[in-house]
Amino acid sequence: MFARPTHARSLFVTLILLAALDAAATSRPDASPGTPKLALIVAIDGLSWERLDSFRPYFEDGFKRLLDEGRVESACRYRHLNTETGPGHSSLGAGAPPRVTGIVANRWFEARPDGGLRSVSCAQQWDPAPVPGKPPLFYREVARDGRLYVFALSGEWERWQQSGEIGLASTRPNAGPDGETLVFDSPDAIRLFNWRHGRPEETFPPAATITGPGNLRVPTLADRLVEARPGARVVALSAKDRSAVFLAGRDARHAVYWYDRDTGRFVTSPAYDVNRGAGPTAAAVVREFNRTQAGARLVSRFGLTWSPSPPPPAGPALPVAPRDLFDYQLPAQGIGFPHDLSRDPAGYSAGFYVSPFIDELLADLALALLESEALALGRRAQPDLLLLSFSAQDLVSHSYGNESDENVDTLRRLDRQLGRLLRALERHVGREHVALALSSDHGFAAIPEVHRRDHPGASAGRLVNSERAVPNFVERLNRLLVDELCLPVGTRAIFGVEGWSLTYNRPAFPLRRVEGPCGPADARLEVGVLDEVLPRVITRHFAEELESVLPVALRDTWPRTRAAEFALNDLDPERSGDAFLVPRENVLMHWDPARGAGHGSHYDYDAHVPLVFWGGRFPAGSVSDDSTPHDVAPTLADLLGVALPDAVGVSRLRPEASSTLRPQSPRSRERRSEAAASAAGTR
Ligand SMILES: [Zn+2]
C-alpha cells in the first residue's frame, strides 16, 4: 500500500499532466472558468520530505489524502543557505530565494545610520506611522521647580519619582504654557503633549519597531493578486509572526494574524490595515474567536498537559524513540510524556506554543474564517488566497528532536487537522475550485549528539551562538584571531554570526597590531585581512565542525559546490554578512550548548522538503523531476492569472518546468561540478 510509483508510471503521469495543463494554460483569460476560487499555501514548519515520506504509514487523514490524491513532487529542494523560517516563508510567498527577497536569515546584522552595526529581526520594521499614545497609554504631566515634566513611559515616571533622573530626556526651554521649560521622557510624550495642548505635530525619525513585512524587497503572490484583482482577499495565519507576514507580503489590505505567546490570542500589527480589503471582516471573526476559543479559554479547551494520542487501532506499530534521548532534550515543559504546559517559565500560553495544540488552534481559526459568510473566502467573483503555516513540527523538534515520540505525535495530530481543513474546503468551496500547495520552509537535522552516538565515526556536533554560553563560537573565533594577527587582547574583529552568515566588525577597522611574532607594533590591518586569515583559522581550529569558509569579497573564486550555490542564493550585500561558513553534515549553529535540535544548512535533511499540489486542477500522481519551493508561488500565480516578474521559480504547470530546464538532480549536478572543480584545481 505504500509502494512508490515506478519511474515509468511517474513519467507517464507527468506527460499526461503536462499535456492537459499546457492546453489549459494557453486558454487562460482573466477569471476564466478554470481559475480557482480559492488558492492556498499550506506550510508545515520544519517538515522534511524524508520525514513526511517515512511516516506515510502512520497517516490516516489529511496527509494521507494529500499524498494519495495530490500531485506529489518528491524531489523538491531549497537551494539557499540559512534554511530557516523567515527565508523559507518569504521564498514560498514570493517565489524567489533570499538573494531576491532580502530575507537572508531569521536575524541579521546591518549598518546603523551612525556607522555602527545592529542586529535586526527579519519581521521587524520601523513603525511607518506611529499614533500618539498607542502604545503606550501612560501619560503624566508634573510641574516642579519651574519645569513641566511630561511622561509617556510609566517606568521613566517611577524612576524620576525615586531618583529625579530621566533616561533620555529631551527639553524645550521656556516652551510651556506658562513659559516653563518642558522636559519629555520620549518622542511619544512630545506627540501626546502637542496633541493634548492643540499644538502642531513635530516629526521625528521613527523610533519604534513593529512586526511587519518592511524588510521584504519584492512583492509576493498575494501582493500581485490584490493588485491585479482588486477585491481579492488575502488571509494569512500562523503561530509565528514571521511565517504569516512573509507568506502574505507587503500590501496593507492583507489580513495577517499570528499567536501571541503572552496572551494566547491571535494578533496583527499596524503594518496591516484592519479597515481595508479582508481587514474588517477578518478582524471581526478573529475578535470573536479570541473571545470564545483562545486566550483564557485555552486551558479549559485543551487542558494543562500534553499526552500522546492513542495508537491507531490498525496499521503498523508507531516508531518508538529511545529513552536515552532524554539527556539531549530541552526541558522547558518537562522531559517525557506527559508534558505539563503550565511548567513553562513564561506561563501556560507560552508552553501551549510548544505543543501540537497550537496547530489545532490554528486549524480552528482557519475553519472559522472559511465558515464566515461575511468573508466568503472562495465564494465570490474574485479568487481569494488563504495562507497557513503550522508551526508545531518546528517548535517540538527544536525542543525534543526530530526523532522523538513528541514529533510522531505532533505529525499524527497535524494529520487530523489537515483532514479537517480539506473537508472544510470541500464543504465551503468545493475541491474543483481549490488549488492548494503544501510545502515547508526547511527540514530538520537530527540531534547531533544522538546522531554521533548512533553513527560512530559520522560527523556531527554543534557550534554555540548564544550570549549565555561562554565562550560562544564568535568569542572563540575572536580570541583565535587575536593570536593569529597579534591584536590587542579583547579585540572584536568578528561582530557576530546569524545562521551560517558571519559579519565582520567593520566599524572597528583598521585594527592595530601589538608587537610580537607578527612583527612591529602599529601596523594597520584593513578588513580584507579577515578574508585571508579566516580559512586558515577555521581549518586549524574548527575542522570537526566546519568544512570551509566562503568570504563574500572573494566570491569569484568560490569552488563550484552545492554549498557555494546555496550561499550565492542567500547573498544580499547589505544583510548576509561578509562570509558564509560551510558546516559539516549534522553540525548545528545552536543556542544551547548540549540540548535540542535545529536546521539551517544546505544538506538534504534541511533542504529537501515536501511539495504537494491538491485541488481541482491537479490530478493525482507522482513527479520525480527536480522542483523547488520557489515554484509554489509561480504555479499558483499561473492558475490565478497573475504575473510574478520577480519570481525565480517557475510554474510547475509549464512543460519547461519539468523536463527541459532541469534534466539533472542537484546531487548529480553537485557531483559533476565538484569533480569538475577538483579537476580544474580550484578547491
Ligand atoms: Zn521554520
Side-chain angles (χ1 to χ4, degrees), residues 45-46 84-85 89 240 394 441-442 599:
D45 201 316
E84 296 179 351
T85 302
H89 282 85
K240 297 184 182 180
D394 175 84
D441 54 347
H442 52 78
H599 50 81

Short mmCIF file of all heavy atoms in Angstrom, two decimals, residues 45-46 84-85 89 240 394 441-442 599, ligand 1:
data_model
loop_
_atom_site.label_atom_id
_atom_site.label_comp_id
_atom_site.label_asym_id
_atom_site.label_seq_id
_atom_site.Cartn_x
_atom_site.Cartn_y
_atom_site.Cartn_z
N ASP A 45 5.97 23.99 9.10
CA ASP A 45 7.27 24.50 9.55
C ASP A 45 8.18 23.34 9.98
O ASP A 45 7.83 22.58 10.87
CB ASP A 45 7.05 25.46 10.72
CG ASP A 45 8.21 26.41 10.91
OD1 ASP A 45 9.36 25.95 10.86
OD2 ASP A 45 7.95 27.61 11.13
N GLY A 46 9.32 23.22 9.30
CA GLY A 46 10.33 22.24 9.74
C GLY A 46 10.09 20.82 9.29
O GLY A 46 10.70 19.90 9.84
N GLU A 84 15.99 28.56 7.07
CA GLU A 84 15.31 28.97 8.31
C GLU A 84 13.90 29.45 7.97
O GLU A 84 13.53 29.55 6.80
CB GLU A 84 16.10 30.11 8.99
CG GLU A 84 17.49 29.70 9.44
CD GLU A 84 18.25 30.84 10.09
OE1 GLU A 84 17.78 31.99 10.05
OE2 GLU A 84 19.33 30.57 10.64
N THR A 85 13.16 29.83 9.01
CA THR A 85 11.74 30.13 8.85
C THR A 85 11.48 31.38 8.00
O THR A 85 10.65 31.36 7.10
CB THR A 85 11.10 30.30 10.24
OG1 THR A 85 11.33 29.08 10.96
CG2 THR A 85 9.62 30.56 10.13
N HIS A 89 9.69 31.00 4.35
CA HIS A 89 8.34 31.51 4.12
C HIS A 89 8.32 32.63 3.08
O HIS A 89 7.39 32.73 2.29
CB HIS A 89 7.69 31.95 5.44
CG HIS A 89 7.18 30.80 6.26
ND1 HIS A 89 7.99 30.09 7.12
CD2 HIS A 89 5.97 30.21 6.32
CE1 HIS A 89 7.28 29.13 7.69
NE2 HIS A 89 6.05 29.17 7.23
N LYS A 240 3.59 31.74 14.24
CA LYS A 240 4.75 32.64 14.24
C LYS A 240 4.46 33.88 13.41
O LYS A 240 3.98 33.77 12.27
CB LYS A 240 5.95 31.95 13.62
CG LYS A 240 6.45 30.73 14.36
CD LYS A 240 7.72 30.24 13.67
CE LYS A 240 8.24 28.98 14.34
NZ LYS A 240 9.47 28.49 13.67
N ASP A 394 8.08 22.33 13.93
CA ASP A 394 9.37 23.00 14.14
C ASP A 394 9.65 23.19 15.64
O ASP A 394 10.73 22.87 16.13
CB ASP A 394 9.34 24.36 13.43
CG ASP A 394 10.59 25.18 13.69
OD1 ASP A 394 11.58 24.96 13.00
OD2 ASP A 394 10.55 26.03 14.61
N ASP A 441 9.16 25.28 5.02
CA ASP A 441 10.18 26.33 4.96
C ASP A 441 11.60 25.78 5.08
O ASP A 441 12.56 26.43 4.71
CB ASP A 441 9.93 27.38 6.04
CG ASP A 441 9.82 26.78 7.43
OD1 ASP A 441 9.69 25.54 7.55
OD2 ASP A 441 9.87 27.54 8.41
N HIS A 442 11.72 24.56 5.61
CA HIS A 442 13.02 23.89 5.76
C HIS A 442 12.73 22.54 6.39
O HIS A 442 11.63 22.30 6.87
CB HIS A 442 13.98 24.69 6.66
CG HIS A 442 13.38 25.07 7.98
ND1 HIS A 442 13.26 24.18 9.02
CD2 HIS A 442 12.79 26.21 8.41
CE1 HIS A 442 12.67 24.78 10.05
NE2 HIS A 442 12.35 26.02 9.70
N HIS A 599 18.25 23.53 12.42
CA HIS A 599 18.26 23.44 10.96
C HIS A 599 18.99 24.66 10.43
O HIS A 599 19.36 25.54 11.21
CB HIS A 599 16.82 23.40 10.43
CG HIS A 599 15.96 24.49 11.01
ND1 HIS A 599 15.96 25.78 10.54
CD2 HIS A 599 15.12 24.50 12.08
CE1 HIS A 599 15.14 26.53 11.26
NE2 HIS A 599 14.63 25.77 12.23
ZN ZN B 1 10.82 27.22 10.36
#
